[in-house]
Structure formats: structure tokens, C-alpha cells
Amino acid sequence: MAGTEAKKTESKKPAAKQSGGKKKEVKKETGLGLTHRKAENFGEWYSEVVVNAEMIEYYDISGCYILRPWSMAIWEIMQEFFDPEIKKMKIKNCYFPLFVSPGVLQKEKDHVEGFAPEVAWVTKSGESELEIPIAIRPTSETVMYPYYSKWIRGHRDLPLKLNQWCNVVRWEFSNPTPFIRSREFLWQEGHTAFASKEEADAEVLEILELYRRIYEEYLAVPVIKGKKSELEKFAGGLYTTSVEAFIPNTGRGIQGATSHCLGQNFAKMFEINFENEKGERAMVWQNSWAYSTRTIGVMVMVHGDDKGLVLPPKVASVQVIVIPVPYKDADTQGIFDACSATVNTLNEAGIRAESDSRDNYSPGWKYSNWEMKGVPLRIEIGPKDLANKQVRAVRRDNGAKIDIASADLVVEIKKLLDTIQQNLFDVAKQKRDECIQIIHTWDEFVQALNQRKMIFAPWCDEEEVEADVKARTKGEMGAAKTLCSPFDQPELPEGTKCFASGKPATKWTYWGRSY
Amino acid sequence: MAGTEAKKTESKKPAAKQSGAKKKEVKKETGLGLTHRKAENFGEWYSEVVVNAEMIEYYDISGCYILRPWSMAIWEIMQEFFDPEIKKMKIKNCYFPLFVSPGVLQKEKDHVEGFAPEVAWVTKSGESELEIPIAIRPTSETVMYPYYSKWIRGHRDLPLKLNQWCNVVRWEFSNPTPFIRSREFLWQEGHTAFATKDEADAEVLEILELYRRIYEEYLAVPVIKGKKSELEKFAGGLYTTSVEAFIPNTGRGIQGATSHCLGQNFAKMFEINFENEKGEKAMVWQNSWAYSTRTIGVMVMVHGDDKGLVLPPKVASVQVIVIPVPYKDADTQGIFDACSATVNTLNEAGIRAESDSRDNYSPGWKYSNWEMKGVPLRIEIGPKDLANKQVRAVRRDNGAKIDIASADLVVEIKKLLDTIQQNLFDVAKQKRDECIQIIHTWDEFVQALNQRKMILAPWCDEEEVEADVKARTKGEMGAAKTLCSPFDQPELPEGTKCFASGKPATKWTYWGRSY
């Protein structure tokens, strides 16, 4: 994962109450509710949502967060998709140590330069100083590649394809943001070595497609697959591909996951050579690729609303919450029994359903509580529903209420969950696409940037020009930079000029501020 | 996991060749083979097996090991059993940070005292000193419990049951041994809080039973469930239960996994209080429980032999290896096709099968290679097998050869795998039981200890007596101590005296040296 320039973003803990009448009413009634509105104060809203939805807890070490079960379940669901997929590709899981010795860490200068300020060093154990300080991995290239060198001798040892699910540490940076930028995070990192560049190139794209699927099919977040610029690529690598998401409320792009072709640079540094089929000595071609808990933060940012979190059904640990609505003189036990039966029926059909029978909270409180936590579908069962042999379903994404006959429960709930999943994606895609602005001149670029657009521009693909754009847009909000050059390239008419340099443009590239 | 006294054990890297003619012959023929025999030099044998079987690679930081795919797959298979089981118990996964601030770490004196010399401290990030050094978790009680205090307010917040799968670090100790004692290892740690002691007591045993199942049903290693002595229990806890395994070749017990009832001590320290149903303030009752990659080391020690690793089928990532045995003028393509077809048939039936078609190695080399790696069942297909529409299966555990008609392949292979799994357990249990020695006097105890027995002795259950036994047996081989007091207590006749103190015995307890 490439280091990125620090961006200013609001990340304070929930502050004092600030806003309007309606919100006060909600808070007064239930004790729940958010102080900040997404559209008005995105950063504060985000910090508030992730806590109130019980996704994270702030930890007593700044920049470190506790991933509570509500988040961990999402991470596990994504892992349950991704891990079997890479195993089909004959990629095997392993575990390399958390620690790197300094000699190895500094072996590749370009690579380490990007991480050096962020490396955490262990210098003591108990009361004793270590003879040599040891680093905690910010990523595992330098941890692994000395052993790739040892294990790879001949072409039959190739391809060597390993992955690990682990924690990494990147210290000392500004603006910690839960899930998006933290001092410790969870990720998977794949490291593969091939005999030929063709094999490496092919795998880069296969893995990138899996990352697109995680975002689009599981998190319901639209992404753009593309290549990073030379300036933005993984330091020490040959080229970097990524899936880029976009946050309309802030007008910032966010790198969702990366799949890097490292080329032969690390092979050269770590002497990862093999005897090929002709008996000649050759260097391997390598890839590395990763996605992290940042995925969860992107999902929250894209789908959350002023009531709280909004979870896509596919990654919700609770897809359906069933709430009894007792009424005076009504058959309370019958209502509770109907709730239990409903949960059982849904669970047996593979739907993740729970009931909320807590007797110390009102139904209204419960509605707000589960809305805050983002449960995709709420089922209400009251005396009228009981009498009519039906349940009332309420969608979290749009508030729609649907009465469903008990006899059709499973079929209808499954349809609804699929509909919600698709709707979340469609709405997110529409919002993102509305933010895409095609520009051709510098003036248009500046205007679009100030309007929080995702800027699509013809570019000459020169590193110094990107550096110049960054310098010219440097400011309080952070500089603009390339997000990616999409693989799906629209036609570039002959004679099109680069928006920034006036030179002949060679490609279309997305630009903007970034997390 | 309680800290244990360091034990002397051989853990050097594979040394120069040392032994007899037959071994030389094997090595000469294939380049494979072990230099050390299990029965003659257990420590060297163990160090050699885990490397040659490609389970681990020694890392350039002492006491840290790379878990290669062959090991990682075992860890994952156990996780695939255990994780759903605890989820059925409504235990949820989470992730707490790797780091602990010093104030929190030192909050519980008894607890931290046991770990203090082993804590790794981060004092620098990049080139800057941290304002306050930060510890890397040796376990997570002190990381988690401040938040249990925050989250638990009333009885409806209980039980709070969390688990995490993570890495932990314990630095500075002697005699690192792959899987058994390493500076970093993988584990799961469960931390639960209840309103009543009865609930906590019940869970301790439920979890312990899951650990027994991991050992006996998956790893085919017999264990004894019991309670640790006051001296050996988890520091700061109320009582500790464990599953104890035994290594006949060294006569040492090994603590397989632990399930601790912490009582209310941590609740007191961290102020984990709740308002009970009567409105009174009360403290929670807590448990913590863990198993780690040590499980894998125990399995290797128990089942491995002079040919290498021996894997129980249930945890083997490759359960069946299919090897073509071509012969001059024979239908080579037909043989290879039969191998592929066999693998496909088995895989479709849920058996983890692979073929080894490498053309640069002889069948004999391949046999030794997969024996070293411990694959439970080898299938050989040569021209005769092809003609007879059969395959030859060879068991790794006992070398038995069985011809199987191709038509009956799946049924017979499944039976064989089940038989191997059971046989490994039965053989291990017999070997362990042969080592169990019931004694009644100190002289008998010393004799049994020197004979590498697992000693079952009547004991008065006094802490100072155990300390005395340790002092009296202190020596080069390490002191004897209690392993556990088994839940299955044999009858203790009236008037039985403690073997060590001569006082009235109150229970039977296993004693011995320990890893």
C-alpha cells in the first residue's frame, strides 16, 4: 500500500451538541441520535457514527482503535469471500514475523524511504535494552523477500504465491481517522513471484478484479479500476493498479485497494534468482497486493446517513432485526412467540436474523438504535400483524414500509435484501457519477476542484506536470493529485491538450484531493 | 496463558550428520532423510523435522519463525472448527490494538509481574523518541478490561463475550523452540464477563471441552483435562483449567491450552461493575481462555517419526498425494491421466488430494519427500495398476500397502483416512498411558521422574509442598512440578498420604517436567 500525503480531515471525537430542532426532539425522545449531519459536518459526523454504531471504540493510545464485533464481523465476511478466491488461484496463506531487523528493512532504499518515518522500533524488552533495535512491519516486502531468495532456486519452484492475513503498524502521521488512517490496521498482503512478466501482469489484474468485487458486490461501493501515476505508484515497484472510490460529501478520492507489479527491482535487491528451463540464470518478476480495514471506513462514508450507519445486507452481521410491538391488553406472549418463530424461520433459510426482546426499552427506542447500527431490514410484529398473519418490514436504506404475509416471509425477505443491496450500489454510483466532471483547462480544473468534483482530465502523463499540479493546488484542504488513469479509457481526440501543461495529452486521468 | 518456568530443551538448528549406515543409504539415494533419530536425540530431531517438512523457516531474528503454508493450513483448519463453535456460544470476534500503554499494563500487579521481563517496548517511531514508551501485548487482559469497565453498566450488558484471533509477543526467555516457545506466536484469546460465578464456571468447562476436541479429534493427541495448582494457575486469576499433553520421548508434560476463571480480581482492579437486577452494584465474574500455535508443535512431537512429519488426516492440507510410476514402454500418458482423474474424483468427494507429476524427480524420491512432509496417504499408479483398474495406497502412519479398485476409490479412501486418524490417536494414547506411573512415596517419585514417566501421585494440595518438590528436583533437566489435577479423579483411599509431605492426601495430581 503506497504511502500517501497526509490530508487535513476532521477527526475529533464527538463534540458537544450543535444543531437543529428536529434532532433535539429525536435525542430527547430516545437518548439516541447524532449531533452532526453528514452534509453539514462530514468529519464530525463520521467520527460520531463509527462510535455510536458501536463499530469502534477510541483507545487510550492515539491513532489506535478497538474494532468491535460489529466491525470485525464485516472484516470476516469479506475474508470469507476473498480467501477461498485466492486459494482457487493456488495462493497459499502463511505467517511471517511481526518484526524486521534494521539491516533487512533498509535494504531497498526507495521502498523504505516512504515508510521510514512511520516505522515503530522496539528497543527494550522488560528492563533490558536490545542489542539491536527491531522494527515492526509497516508492510512485509523486506520481511519476506530474503526467504523468497532462499526458497526459489529453479523454475520448478515458481510461481511462489503467498498471502498473509495480519496486522501492520505505521506510526507518526497526522490526522488519524478510524479505518481510513490508523497506526495499526488489519489487512491481507499477497506476495507472488513468477518466471515471466506476462504471468505477473495477468495476476495483477486478476487480484484487482477481486478487489473490485469486494467493493461493488459486498460493500455496494462503486470503484474505478485503473493505474496510478509514476509519482503515486508503490515506491520501488514497476507499476501500481488500484480500485478508487470517491466520497461525494468531501469531494475526495480514496484508494480502496492496490495491486502492484513490482517488476524485478526487489528481485535485484534481494537476489531472487532462478535457473530457467534453458539453464540460464534469471530474476523473478514479482507482485504484491493488499486490501485493509480501510474498506470498512469507505463503506461507512459512502452509505451512512443522518440516522447512523447503513449496512449493505451482504456484509451485515445482522441482516434483519425483529422487534415485538406489544400493546395494552394484546396477546404479548403471542407477539413474542411470533418474533422468535420469525427469527428461526429466517435463520434456517440462511438469513442472519435476530430479535430484540429487551423489556427495558420502547419499540421506538429500538427502532432508532438499530437504525443507528445500520441493520438493513427491521421487522415489526404487533397485535395487528399477529391477527393478520403478516409482518411489517421497514427498509433502512430508504425507510420504505412493506407488509409481508408470514407464509411468504423467506422469499420476500430475500428479495428485499437483494433489492436493498442493489439499491445502495445504484444510489452510490449515481451520486459518484454526478460528481464526475470532465474538464479541459486549468481554470475549469480549479473550479471543479472547489466544487468537490471527481475531475476527469486529459493529461500528458509527465511526472513533473503532476508535481506542478500538486504545488499549484497546495492549500488548507490539501493538494490535488492523480487518483488513477482508468483502464476504461474514453476516446482521446487527436490534438487534445493536457489540461495543466498544454502539451499533447496521452490519456484520461482522474484527479482530485484524496484521503 | 500462564507464564511457565523456562525448561532446558535442545533447540539447535539441524547439525552435521551423525548416525548410522541405513540413514546414510537413504540420504545417498534421495538427498532426503533426517540426520537425527527421534528416540536418540529428540531435540535435534524436532528442530530438523519442522524445517525439512517445510513447516517453518528460521528467521533472522532469534526466537521468531516463519509459519510456512504447510503449518498455516493446519492453523486454519483448527480455526475453521473452533470459530463456529464459539459463535454458537454467542461469543463474538473483535480486534483490540497490539499496543498497551504502561499505566494500564501495570494496573494489575500479580498479572504483570509474570510477564514484565517478556514485554517488548516500542520507544521510537522513525527517528523520534516516543513521549511514553508503549508495550506490545503479551496477552490482552490489560488492553481490554478498561473497556469492559466502560461498556458494562447494567445486567443487560451481560454477559459480554469477546474473542480475538491475533499475534502476541513475549520477549526474553531461554530455549526458543518452534511452535512451543517463540517470541511471537498466533493464538485466540477469549475474554468473557458474567453476572454470576455459576455462569463463569460453566463456560470455563465448555471451552475446555472444545480444546480437548481440537487435540483429540483433530490433532489425534490424547490430553487430560484438569485443574492447575495454585502455584501454576494464571497469575491474578481464581483458578486455571487446562488440557495437558505428554511427550513420551522426553518424559515432559506440555500444557496444551488453558481456560481460566479469573474470578473478580480483575473486575476489582479495573472497576468492572454493573447494576444487578435488584439495583445493587456488583462486580462481574470473568474468564479468559486461549490456545495457540503451540498445538501444532505438540502434534509434531507426538506423531512424527524418523521419516519426518506424520499428519493426522483431519488437519492435513494434503490428505492424499497421488504419484505416477511410469515404466519403460508403458502407457505414460495413461498413467498421468489416471493420476489426474484420481485427484479429481477425490477432490469432488471433499478429500484434499494432489498429484505430484514433477518430471525431474524419481518416484522413490517423491515417496521420501511426501513421507517427510507427513502426507497421510500416498497413492501410486503404475502400469500394472492401470491394467488392473486399481491403485495402490500406502499409509504414512504404519507403511501398510493396500490395493484399491478404482471403482471403490472414494469409499475406501475415506475409510482409510478415518482409520489412520483413529490409529494415530490410539497409538499416541497407548504410548502415553504406558508412561503413566502411579506412585506413593518420594523414592518412587524420583525413580519415575528419572524414567521419564508421567507421574500420578496423591497430594495434599499445599502450595509450599509443590514449591518444595520443585526445589528438591531442581537440576539440569529442569524441576518437576504439577501438571494438573485431573477432573476424572480415581478413588483416594482413606488414609492415603501425600507422596512428598507425608500429610493426608486430598487429591490425585499429575507431576512431571514440563515444556
Side-chain angles (χ1 to χ4, degrees):
Chain A
M1 188 171 278
T4 56
E5 186 181 63
K7 293 293 177 296
K8 177 171 180 174
T9 182
E10 308 96 317
S11 63
K12 298 173 213 164
K13 295 184 182 180
K17 201 192 306 185
Q18 277 182 28
S19 60
K22 183 171 185 185
K23 183 58 63 65
K24 281 180 184 171
E25 286 170 30
V26 173
K27 279 189 82 75
K28 183 176 177 181
E29 176 190 338
T30 64
L32 297 173
L34 296 170
T35 304
H36 303 285
R37 287 181 180 276
K38 187 179 186 185
E40 291 170 8
N41 193 332
F42 183 85
E44 297 283 359
W45 167 87
Y46 179 76
S47 297
E48 199 176 3
V49 167
V50 293
V51 171
N52 287 23
E54 292 177 15
M55 297 192 82
I56 59 120
E57 183 79 51
Y58 282 86
Y59 191 58
D60 74 335
I61 295 174
S62 168
C64 291
Y65 306 100
I66 298 164
L67 300 184
R68 299 184 72 177
W70 209 239
S71 302
M72 199 64 201
I74 297 171
W75 182 245
E76 290 183 340
I77 288 168
M78 290 190 288
Q79 188 176 17
E80 281 158 30
F81 159 70
F82 189 82
D83 198 64
E85 290 293 330
I86 59 176
K87 282 172 171 161
K88 288 178 197 167
M89 295 169 66
K90 299 293 196 287
I91 296 161
K92 297 187 174 182
N93 285 339
C94 62
Y95 187 79
F96 280 72
L98 176 70
F99 300 115
V100 200
S101 49
V104 176
L105 184 68
Q106 286 152 26
K107 202 174 175 84
E108 207 286 334
K109 299 304 177 190
D110 276 352
H111 172 73
V112 79
E113 190 176 290
F115 290 110
E118 297 173 359
V119 174
W121 293 92
V122 174
T123 65
K124 269 177 57 173
S125 74
E127 297 301 320
S128 320
E129 296 287 324
L130 297 187
E131 287 175 33
I132 300 173
I134 286 170
I136 298 178
R137 63 182 168 221
T139 177
S140 294
E141 285 77 8
T142 56
V143 175
M144 290 169 129
Y145 297 165
Y147 300 91
Y148 280 47
S149 174
K150 177 176 181 179
W151 294 332
I152 294 170
R153 290 281 164 234
H155 69 275
R156 291 192 182 84
D157 298 316
L158 292 170
L160 177 56
K161 303 195 281 188
L162 299 178
N163 177 68
Q164 66 177 4
W165 296 88
C166 65
N167 53 342
V168 289
V169 171
R170 296 182 186 169
W171 212 262
E172 214 62 69
F173 58 87
S174 50
N175 305 316
T177 305
F179 299 111
I180 304 296
R181 199 181 295 278
S182 52
R183 282 173 161 161
E184 183 195 6
F185 55 90
L186 302 180
W187 76 349
Q188 69 58 223
E189 52 178 322
H191 295 270
T192 52
F194 300 91
S196 69
K197 181 172 190 290
E198 286 74 31
E199 290 171 283
D201 288 337
E203 191 206 50
V204 164
L205 296 179
E206 275 183 277
I207 293 293
L208 195 70
E209 172 61 10
L210 290 178
Y211 291 154
R212 181 198 69 77
R213 290 181 65 191
I214 285 176
Y215 272 99
E216 296 197 338
E217 293 175 20
Y218 280 79
L219 300 171
V221 170
V223 292
I224 294 170
K225 287 159 73 175
K227 207 175 194 182
K228 304 295 284 196
S229 67
E230 279 296 299
L231 201 63
E232 292 294 319
K233 76 175 184 184
F234 185 64
L238 184 64
Y239 66 85
T240 292
T241 70
S242 67
V243 286
E244 297 286 329
F246 183 76
I247 311 297
N249 291 84
T250 61
R252 288 179 187 270
I254 182 162
Q255 183 171 269
T258 47
S259 183
H260 314 283
C261 181
L262 301 180
Q264 292 183 309
N265 186 48
F266 286 88
K268 189 157 80 174
M269 288 296 129
F270 290 91
E271 294 172 36
I272 310 177
N273 303 308
F274 69 104
E275 185 174 293
N276 67 18
E277 290 186 43
K278 304 170 192 165
E280 300 159 348
R281 185 173 119 144
M283 285 193 298
V284 298
W285 293 85
Q286 287 178 276
N287 293 340
S288 75
W289 28 272
Y291 80 95
S292 75
T293 39
R294 166 177 274 211
T295 47
I296 298 173
V298 176
M299 176 198 69
V300 176
M301 289 185 165
V302 168
H303 298 308
D305 64 17
D306 290 345
K307 292 180 185 173
L309 184 64
V310 176
L311 289 171
K314 281 188 82 166
V315 294
S317 62
V318 179
Q319 294 170 309
V320 178
I321 188 71
V322 181
I323 299 177
V325 189
Y327 193 72
K328 62 194 176 210
D329 295 344
D331 178 11
T332 303
Q333 191 56 49
I335 291 171
F336 280 96
D337 289 346
C339 289
S340 295
T342 298
V343 169
N344 288 339
T345 299
L346 294 176
N347 283 345
E348 282 165 5
I351 295 164
R352 300 186 287 271
E354 287 185 11
S355 65
D356 183 350
S357 307
R358 293 176 287 178
D359 59 8
N360 55 321
Y361 293 114
S362 68
W365 187 95
K366 292 176 183 176
Y367 298 168
S368 296
N369 180 34
W370 293 107
E371 281 170 2
M372 175 69 70
K373 295 190 72 163
V375 172
L377 206 56
R378 174 172 88 232
I379 285 180
E380 301 165 11
I381 301 181
K384 182 172 149 186
D385 307 292
L386 198 62
N388 292 341
K389 291 194 174 63
Q390 69 184 27
V391 305
R392 169 159 289 192
V394 183
R395 284 171 63 165
R396 171 72 181 86
D397 60 329
N398 64 10
K401 300 185 184 203
I402 309 105
D403 290 325
I404 298 174
S406 297
D408 304 327
L409 191 67
V410 168
V411 174
E412 293 301 320
I413 294 293
K414 283 190 174 180
K415 277 189 205 169
L416 269 175
L417 291 173
D418 287 343
T419 299
I420 293 167
Q421 180 81 27
Q422 187 64 46
N423 183 59
L424 285 173
F425 179 82
D426 293 344
V427 167
K429 187 168 188 301
Q430 185 188 356
K431 282 182 184 172
R432 181 201 68 181
D433 289 349
E434 280 168 4
C435 289
I436 295 177
Q437 176 100 17
I438 298 176
I439 61 94
H440 291 84
T441 69
W442 179 257
D443 287 347
E444 285 172 358
F445 178 81
V446 171
Q447 183 176 3
L449 191 64
N450 291 332
Q451 289 169 352
R452 300 184 184 175
K453 299 294 187 181
M454 189 179 192
I455 300 161
F456 200 37
W459 181 40
C460 58
D461 196 8
E462 290 185 19
E463 194 166 335
E464 54 272 26
V465 174
E466 179 171 8
D468 185 55
V469 171
K470 287 176 101 165
R472 289 164 81 185
T473 56
K474 191 172 177 181
E476 180 177 307
M477 300 284 290
K481 64 185 185 74
T482 60
L483 301 179
C484 72
S485 297
F487 292 129
D488 286 343
Q489 284 279 316
E491 187 193 351
L492 189 66
E494 188 74 23
T496 306
K497 301 297 186 190
C498 171
F499 77 99
S501 68
K503 298 176 184 177
T506 59
K507 60 169 64 169
W508 289 95
T509 301
Y510 284 103
W511 293 77
R513 296 191 176 99
S514 176
Y515 281 95
Chain B
M1 189 170 277
T4 56
E5 186 180 64
K7 294 291 177 296
K8 177 170 180 174
T9 182
E10 308 97 317
S11 64
K12 297 174 213 164
K13 294 184 182 180
K17 201 192 307 184
Q18 276 182 27
S19 62
K22 183 171 186 187
K23 182 59 63 65
K24 280 180 185 172
E25 287 170 28
V26 173
K27 280 189 81 76
K28 182 176 177 182
E29 176 189 339
T30 64
L32 297 173
L34 296 170
T35 304
H36 302 286
R37 286 182 180 275
K38 187 179 187 185
E40 291 170 9
N41 193 332
F42 184 84
E44 297 284 358
W45 167 87
Y46 179 76
S47 296
E48 199 175 4
V49 167
V50 292
V51 171
N52 286 24
E54 293 177 13
M55 297 191 83
I56 59 121
E57 183 79 51
Y58 282 86
Y59 191 58
D60 73 336
I61 295 173
S62 168
C64 291
Y65 306 100
I66 298 165
L67 299 184
R68 299 184 72 177
W70 209 239
S71 302
M72 199 64 202
I74 296 172
W75 182 245
E76 290 183 340
I77 288 168
M78 290 190 288
Q79 188 175 17
E80 281 157 31
F81 160 69
F82 189 82
D83 198 64
E85 290 293 330
I86 59 175
K87 281 172 171 161
K88 288 178 198 168
M89 295 169 66
K90 299 291 196 288
I91 295 161
K92 297 187 175 183
N93 285 339
C94 62
Y95 187 79
F96 280 73
L98 176 71
F99 300 115
V100 200
S101 49
V104 175
L105 184 68
Q106 286 152 25
K107 202 175 175 82
E108 207 286 334
K109 299 304 177 191
D110 276 352
H111 172 73
V112 78
E113 190 176 289
F115 291 110
E118 298 173 359
V119 174
W121 292 93
V122 174
T123 65
K124 270 177 57 174
S125 74
E127 297 300 321
S128 320
E129 296 287 325
L130 298 187
E131 286 175 34
I132 300 173
I134 286 169
I136 298 179
R137 64 182 167 221
T139 177
S140 294
E141 284 77 9
T142 57
V143 175
M144 291 168 129
Y145 297 165
Y147 300 91
Y148 280 47
S149 173
K150 177 175 182 180
W151 293 332
I152 295 169
R153 290 281 163 233
H155 68 275
R156 291 191 182 85
D157 297 316
L158 292 171
L160 176 57
K161 303 194 280 188
L162 299 177
N163 177 68
Q164 66 177 4
W165 296 89
C166 65
N167 53 341
V168 289
V169 171
R170 296 181 187 170
W171 212 262
E172 215 62 69
F173 58 88
S174 49
N175 305 315
T177 306
F179 299 111
I180 304 296
R181 199 181 294 279
S182 53
R183 282 175 160 159
E184 182 194 7
F185 55 90
L186 302 180
W187 76 349
Q188 68 62 220
E189 52 179 321
H191 295 271
T192 53
F194 300 90
T196 67
K197 180 172 191 289
D198 291 342
E199 290 171 284
D201 287 338
E203 192 207 49
V204 164
L205 296 179
E206 275 183 277
I207 293 294
L208 195 70
E209 171 61 9
L210 290 179
Y211 291 153
R212 181 198 68 77
R213 289 182 65 192
I214 285 176
Y215 272 99
E216 296 198 339
E217 293 175 20
Y218 280 79
L219 299 170
V221 170
V223 292
I224 293 169
K225 287 159 74 176
K227 207 175 194 182
K228 304 295 285 197
S229 67
E230 279 296 299
L231 200 63
E232 292 295 319
K233 76 175 184 184
F234 185 64
L238 184 63
Y239 66 86
T240 292
T241 70
S242 68
V243 286
E244 297 286 329
F246 182 77
I247 310 298
N249 291 85
T250 61
R252 288 179 187 271
I254 182 162
Q255 183 171 269
T258 48
S259 183
H260 313 284
C261 181
L262 301 180
Q264 293 182 308
N265 186 47
F266 285 88
K268 189 158 82 172
M269 289 295 130
F270 289 92
E271 294 172 37
I272 310 177
N273 303 309
F274 68 104
E275 184 174 293
N276 67 18
E277 290 187 43
K278 304 170 192 166
E280 301 159 347
K281 179 167 131 157
M283 286 194 298
V284 298
W285 292 86
Q286 287 178 275
N287 293 341
S288 75
W289 28 272
Y291 80 95
S292 75
T293 40
R294 166 177 274 211
T295 47
I296 298 172
V298 176
M299 176 198 69
V300 176
M301 289 184 165
V302 168
H303 298 308
D305 64 18
D306 290 345
K307 293 179 184 173
L309 184 64
V310 177
L311 289 171
K314 281 188 82 166
V315 294
S317 63
V318 178
Q319 294 170 309
V320 179
I321 188 72
V322 181
I323 299 177
V325 189
Y327 193 72
K328 59 191 178 216
D329 296 345
D331 178 11
T332 303
Q333 191 56 49
I335 291 172
F336 280 96
D337 290 346
C339 289
S340 296
T342 299
V343 169
N344 288 339
T345 299
L346 294 176
N347 283 345
E348 281 165 6
I351 295 164
R352 300 186 289 269
E354 288 185 11
S355 65
D356 183 351
S357 308
R358 293 176 287 179
D359 59 8
N360 56 320
Y361 293 114
S362 69
W365 186 95
K366 292 176 184 176
Y367 297 169
S368 296
N369 180 34
W370 293 107
E371 280 170 2
M372 174 70 70
K373 295 190 71 163
V375 172
L377 206 55
R378 174 173 87 233
I379 285 179
E380 302 165 11
I381 301 182
K384 181 172 149 185
D385 307 292
L386 198 61
N388 292 341
K389 292 192 172 64
Q390 69 184 27
V391 304
R392 169 159 289 191
V394 183
R395 285 171 62 166
R396 171 72 181 86
D397 59 329
N398 64 10
K401 301 185 183 200
I402 308 105
D403 289 325
I404 298 174
S406 297
D408 304 326
L409 191 67
V410 168
V411 174
E412 293 300 319
I413 294 293
K414 283 190 174 181
K415 278 189 205 169
L416 269 175
L417 291 174
D418 287 343
T419 299
I420 292 167
Q421 180 81 27
Q422 188 63 46
N423 183 60
L424 285 173
F425 179 82
D426 293 344
V427 167
K429 186 168 190 299
Q430 184 187 356
K431 282 181 183 173
R432 182 201 67 181
D433 288 349
E434 280 167 5
C435 288
I436 295 177
Q437 176 100 16
I438 298 176
I439 61 93
H440 291 84
T441 70
W442 180 256
D443 287 347
E444 286 172 358
F445 177 81
V446 171
Q447 183 177 4
L449 191 64
N450 290 333
Q451 289 169 351
R452 300 184 184 176
K453 298 296 188 180
M454 188 178 192
I455 301 160
L456 184 58
W459 182 39
C460 59
D461 197 7
E462 289 185 20
E463 194 166 335
E464 55 272 25
V465 174
E466 179 171 9
D468 184 54
V469 171
K470 288 176 101 166
R472 290 164 81 185
T473 56
K474 190 171 177 182
E476 180 177 307
M477 299 285 290
K481 65 184 184 75
T482 60
L483 301 179
C484 72
S485 297
F487 291 129
D488 286 343
Q489 284 279 315
E491 186 192 351
L492 189 66
E494 187 74 23
T496 305
K497 301 298 185 190
C498 170
F499 77 99
S501 67
K503 297 177 186 178
T506 60
K507 59 170 64 170
W508 290 95
T509 300
Y510 283 102
W511 293 77
R513 296 191 175 99
S514 175
Y515 282 95

